[in-house]
Amino acid sequence: MLTRIDHIGIACLDLDTTVEFYRATYGFEVFHTEVNEEQGVREAMLRINGTSDGGASYIQLLQPVRPDSTVAKWLEKNGEGVHHIAFGTEDVDGDAADIRKKGVRVLYEAPRRGSMGSRITFLHPKDCHGVLTELVTSAAVESPEH
């Protein structure tokens, strides 16, 4: 089922300032950046390490690009900080279906496009002890894109 912690999503008000903090403090470098219009965020993926299943673990920094995005609303209510945890899986469709059968609400009927071409879905935080949980099937990533 789940193979690793894919990433920890952190909501921030200023992506560039937050990236610089993680670079200067921990030595993490940006592996990938993109704007996800569907999610309404500008994001930076900071790669922490690789894993035996070909995936990796990241810190995902998320800055809203529009006030009606989920992350913008979350920031307004909670301020900057940990937004979600994402687990890697080889089969987001199958694992989401299995988890749904166990009574956990899956937020998307079908997985959507996520960072770096991945396929994602989210689990309702009220069913996961207050933690917004993402399931991720990574796309093959051969080299960093900035």
Side-chain angles (χ1 to χ4, degrees):
M1 186 188 250
L2 306 178
T3 59
R4 69 187 180 286
I5 295 175
D6 185 84
H7 67 271
I8 306 295
I10 299 173
C12 62
L13 295 169
D14 183 317
L15 187 66
D16 297 328
T17 299
T18 308
V19 163
E20 179 54 25
F21 169 81
Y22 278 87
R23 189 204 60 71
T25 306
Y26 306 117
F28 298 154
E29 295 296 336
V30 173
F31 182 80
H32 175 84
T33 60
E34 70 179 85
V35 173
N36 184 322
E37 293 294 342
E38 182 180 359
Q39 301 289 327
V41 295
R42 180 174 161 236
E43 64 180 77
M45 297 294 278
L46 301 131
R47 188 169 192 244
I48 308 306
N49 67 337
T51 62
S52 62
D53 67 358
S57 294
Y58 300 89
I59 298 291
Q60 178 188 46
L61 304 176
L62 301 159
Q63 175 188 329
V65 295
R66 58 178 201 266
D68 67 334
S69 73
T70 302
V71 173
K73 292 174 186 175
W74 189 89
L75 274 166
E76 202 173 287
K77 181 179 177 183
N78 301 292
E80 293 183 301
V82 174
H83 179 262
H84 67 275
I85 185 169
F87 294 107
T89 174
E90 292 180 8
D91 182 11
V92 70
D93 298 271
D95 287 341
D98 289 345
I99 290 169
R100 182 180 276 125
K101 288 177 190 172
K102 295 174 182 175
V104 175
R105 288 173 281 181
V106 178
L107 298 183
Y108 302 152
E109 190 58 38
R112 297 181 181 177
R113 183 196 175 283
S115 300
M116 300 184 293
S118 63
R119 297 184 69 244
I120 65 165
T121 195
F122 286 90
L123 309 178
H124 199 292
K126 289 184 179 177
D127 297 341
C128 299
H129 297 272
V131 178
L132 179 61
T133 303
E134 182 179 5
L135 304 179
V136 178
T137 295
S138 298
V141 177
E142 295 185 18
S143 64
E145 298 175 27
H146 296 287

